[in-house]
Amino acid sequence: GSAKCSNEEAYLFQKLIRTGFHTNNVDHCTRLCHASSVAALFEGIGSGAVSTTFGDIKNSGVAIVTGSNSTANHPVASTFFKQARRNGTTVIYVDPRADKMADHADIYCQLKPGTDVAFYNGVMHEVIRLGLTDDEFIATRTSNFEALKRTVADYPPERAEQITGVPADTIRRVARAWGEASGGIIFWGMGISQHTTGTDNARCLIALCAITGNVGKPGAGLHPLRGQNNVQGASDMGLVPMFYPDYQKADDPGVKARFETAWGSEDLDPKKGLTVTEIIGSALKGGVRGMYMLGENPFLSDPNINKVRKALAKLDFLVVQDIFLTETAEFADVILPASSYMEKDGTYTNTDRRVQLGRKVLDTPGQARVDWEVVQDIANRIGLDWRYESARQIFEEMVSVIPSYKNLSYDNLGLTGKLYPNPDPEHSDGTVVMFGERFKTDDGLAHLVPAEWLPAKELPSEEYPFVLNTGRMLEHWHTGSMTRRSYALDAIAPSALVFIHPDDAASLGLGDGEMARVSSRRGAIELAVKVSHRESPGNCFIPFHFREAAANLLTIDEIDPVGKIPEFKFCAVRIEPADVSVRADG
């Protein structure tokens, strides 16, 4: 499924897979961005959604932005961060890359890649040692604090410095700023989640907020910044293998019975389905024999592209529904021309839990059709009797099975949308701060989960001495299937780049714009060098938008054991001059 499609389309897609194909093997890009965050949030506070909005930063004394180059990846949210800092909020930025967000931070911590657990354990060590915890909140609204306290006791700032490279005094400064603030929010991105220890990373952030009482009040909370325009909504709609809509467990007999009644289906699958990464692995072994791709391009977005290529080639049948002929579509047996957001009505839920109405302004070109209509036609061809006539009608059914969206309707969303949950959308914008009295866990408490630091699965070696980090640029979007067709955007950023520190460039004999060969144990690509003071020595960064130099040809497909998310942010590579040195501009 797709996190770029509307809520209605995500809802119908997962309903088709479950009622028509009788399987829970349905997933989307959350598996490649925030799956580990969601796993930790459900475990810790019983909800995978943000606990407050990014606009609430105006009420914060301090904000931590970690693992997110927000100015490039979340430019709307970053304007709120920068404005809050101008108005007095202390901004702490934690990331291996000193990208533009570092320019707007009061405190910047350039930690070594993959050492987040050690860093936050060191901060919590100091918060507890200095007596900056909220003892009443810990006593009444959390569990397992003593176990957490024992774990972080082994991470004094000096040990955390040895592991992370962040000076012990800086760690102490962060702890004091966080602990003494009237309220604090943690915003995080893929740099936290896209690790084999991604769930542990998020567990630490949850614990840091909870032990200081920074959840459930204005200017405080947990905010995983979502990666696509409707990844929150697609997850809410049940476009994941372990949950039905509204995060109701797929392997719960009571949930199964409720949806069988609601959908008029008698044989829903009682087992959790496979995730994106597990589906690829199953296809390689001949287990999964067919795939239906709606608005996804795993050929470039998934790790270890050679493995993905083999999996796609081995399928008996592949259908791709998309607005352009993507790299994945080149493997398809059937291609269904789809629609962009401007060509259809529907709702979208942003990172703040804000449900917004999209309205059609253009007709679809050629034979392209509105996605939910295509899905409905397939449903009817395989024997389901679906008679939806509009996105509005689908939305009404969604609301009837999604308690979090209760009271919302097309008519009360207005021009700016409404936050969920919302008890009175006629007169209220919705709930900004969640968990003011209790969490959504079974006992209503925040469950603190200690985490020990573990090294990455593939460490640098003499043969592959550099650490590769991958991500996005401001100018381009994911696999570039849309933005690289934009003349203006492609003119600004036309070619693939590898960003390396000046000292590394000098030692390798590479100048700015010269061609380099970057190789890992899985493959090699050639691309232009960008000498950058924002990288730290021994590390490099490659955006993954470019087919001709696909970063994910290099990445490792090891996954987080809980969130099942791949390790996009850490693998070992070698950098050397390309065989033929060509200037990038000519």
Side-chain angles (χ1 to χ4, degrees):
S2 174
K4 296 184 290 295
C5 287
S6 68
N7 287 325
E8 291 75 16
E9 289 162 339
Y11 174 80
L12 281 199
F13 188 78
Q14 61 85 34
K15 183 179 178 181
L16 168 67
I17 302 305
R18 290 183 158 118
T19 62
F21 299 134
H22 309 291
T23 177
N24 288 315
N25 292 342
V26 58
D27 208 354
H28 74 291
C29 74
T30 192
R31 195 66 41 211
L32 307 178
C33 59
H34 266 304
S36 52
S37 304
V38 171
L41 286 165
F42 265 100
E43 172 189 67
I45 63 175
S47 170
V50 300
S51 73
T52 190
T53 66
F54 52 68
D56 195 30
I57 190 176
K58 66 183 180 183
N59 299 311
S60 301
V62 63
I64 294 176
V65 181
T66 179
S68 171
N69 177 24
S70 307
T71 53
N73 294 329
H74 304 95
V76 175
S78 74
T79 62
F80 285 79
F81 303 163
K82 289 179 274 190
Q83 184 65 44
R85 188 197 175 211
R86 283 193 288 269
N87 292 335
T89 300
T90 297
V91 174
I92 300 168
Y93 184 52
V94 185
D95 196 87
R97 301 187 70 225
D99 221 312
K100 293 179 181 178
M101 198 61 215
D103 301 341
H104 301 279
D106 296 281
I107 306 172
Y108 170 52
C109 304
Q110 189 169 35
L111 77 174
K112 296 176 183 177
T115 62
D116 303 87
V117 167
F119 176 82
Y120 288 105
N121 279 353
V123 172
M124 284 190 281
H125 175 284
E126 280 300 283
V127 167
I128 294 171
R129 186 187 70 82
L130 294 169
L132 298 176
T133 53
D134 186 330
D135 295 339
E136 181 181 355
F137 191 94
I138 291 170
T140 60
R141 300 204 55 194
T142 73
S143 65
N144 207 36
F145 174 69
E146 290 303 320
L148 177 77
K149 184 177 179 180
R150 287 193 297 272
T151 297
V152 302
D154 292 333
Y155 291 84
E158 287 74 19
R159 184 188 177 209
E161 177 181 353
Q162 290 176 340
I163 297 171
T164 67
V166 179
D169 285 345
T170 302
I171 294 172
R172 293 188 181 94
R173 185 182 171 198
V174 169
R176 187 172 289 279
W178 178 261
E180 292 180 347
S182 57
I185 304 178
I186 300 180
F187 300 92
W188 73 93
M190 310 299 105
I192 287 292
S193 59
Q194 288 179 337
H195 285 282
T196 51
T197 57
T199 303
D200 282 343
N201 293 346
R203 284 166 172 162
C204 290
L205 304 183
I206 294 165
L208 181 58
C209 275
I211 66 173
T212 51
N214 278 312
V215 194
K217 64 181 182 180
L222 297 151
H223 194 123
L225 291 157
R226 302 301 183 178
Q228 291 203 29
N229 61 304
N230 202 37
V231 72
Q232 182 64 58
S235 300
D236 294 343
M237 296 305 113
L239 202 59
V240 283
M242 64 286 297
F243 295 123
Y244 281 91
D246 211 22
Y247 308 98
Q248 300 176 69
K249 294 180 180 178
D251 57 352
D252 183 319
V255 171
K256 176 177 175 289
R258 284 199 298 276
F259 278 94
E260 285 177 339
T261 299
W263 290 342
S265 179
E266 298 179 355
D267 51 359
L268 297 180
D269 189 347
K271 306 182 299 297
K272 294 178 181 177
L274 300 176
T275 64
V276 164
T277 45
E278 291 169 334
I279 286 169
I280 294 295
S282 177
L284 277 170
K285 298 174 184 176
V288 169
R289 307 298 294 276
M291 293 189 199
Y292 180 0
M293 303 278 191
L294 172 61
E296 288 284 342
N297 188 18
F299 186 90
L300 285 186
S301 64
D302 286 22
N304 192 353
I305 283 174
N306 283 325
K307 183 176 178 180
V308 177
R309 180 190 292 123
K310 291 176 184 176
L312 294 177
K314 196 169 184 179
L315 293 173
D316 291 344
F317 184 75
L318 172 64
V319 55
V320 171
Q321 183 171 326
D322 216 318
I323 60 175
F324 294 117
L325 187 70
T326 64
E327 290 77 11
T328 302
E330 294 173 13
F331 287 81
D333 297 280
V334 175
I335 299 171
L336 302 172
S339 50
S340 75
Y341 77 101
M342 296 186 74
E343 297 158 359
K344 57 195 172 189
D345 294 331
T347 60
Y348 303 82
T349 307
N350 76 357
T351 190
D352 271 353
R353 295 178 272 107
R354 183 174 295 277
V355 184
Q356 302 173 93
L357 186 60
R359 296 174 177 83
K360 176 181 174 178
V361 294
L362 294 172
D363 290 328
T364 53
Q367 297 180 3
R369 298 179 59 201
V370 174
D371 290 84
W372 71 260
E373 294 178 354
V374 175
V375 173
Q376 174 163 269
D377 276 1
I378 292 173
N380 289 327
R381 294 289 183 96
I382 64 172
L384 301 176
D385 185 20
W386 287 8
R387 300 183 183 182
Y388 302 103
E389 296 180 356
S390 65
R392 175 191 289 264
Q393 186 180 353
I394 303 167
F395 185 84
E396 291 170 353
E397 179 178 312
M398 283 163 33
V399 171
S400 73
V401 297
I402 300 178
S404 295
Y405 283 50
K406 184 180 179 181
N407 302 319
L408 297 181
S409 72
Y410 256 47
D411 296 324
N412 62 32
L413 291 179
L415 292 175
T416 58
K418 298 289 182 179
L419 298 172
Y420 78 79
N422 196 323
D424 183 15
E426 300 296 336
H427 304 95
S428 169
D429 192 45
T431 304
V432 174
V433 178
M434 295 179 68
F435 315 122
E437 296 180 359
R438 71 187 313 274
F439 295 99
K440 290 186 71 174
T441 52
D442 292 340
D443 56 11
L445 301 177
H447 301 158
L448 306 179
V449 182
E452 295 282 1
W453 172 72
L454 296 171
K457 292 293 184 180
E458 184 180 76
L459 298 174
S461 64
E462 185 175 345
E463 185 178 5
Y464 298 100
F466 287 88
V467 173
L468 169 65
N469 181 9
T470 67
R472 300 202 300 252
M473 303 171 71
L474 174 63
E475 294 82 6
H476 287 301
W477 174 254
H478 282 220
T479 62
S481 59
M482 293 184 290
T483 56
R484 295 198 71 195
R485 287 175 167 85
S486 162
Y487 175 81
L489 294 175
D490 201 53
I492 297 170
S495 57
L497 301 169
V498 54
F499 294 75
I500 58 177
H501 189 272
D503 292 347
D504 291 330
S507 66
L508 293 167
L510 286 165
D512 201 63
E514 293 181 339
M515 297 299 290
R517 179 180 174 87
V518 183
S519 54
S520 74
R521 292 175 174 86
R522 289 153 295 282
I525 59 176
E526 293 189 1
L527 66 176
V529 168
K530 179 65 176 177
V531 178
S532 169
H533 287 278
R534 298 188 182 278
E535 316 309 313
S536 57
N539 295 280
C540 65
F541 174 77
I542 300 177
F544 68 96
H545 314 292
F546 300 91
R547 171 180 178 158
E548 63 273 24
N552 282 321
L553 190 68
L554 309 175
T555 50
I556 192 169
D557 56 348
E558 292 282 348
I559 61 172
D560 177 286
V562 181
K564 310 292 185 183
I565 193 170
E567 178 97 90
F568 285 112
K569 300 300 185 188
F570 198 118
C571 74
V573 298
R574 178 173 63 249
I575 305 173
E576 55 198 338
D579 292 338
V580 179
S581 181
V582 181
R583 300 297 299 184
D585 57 3

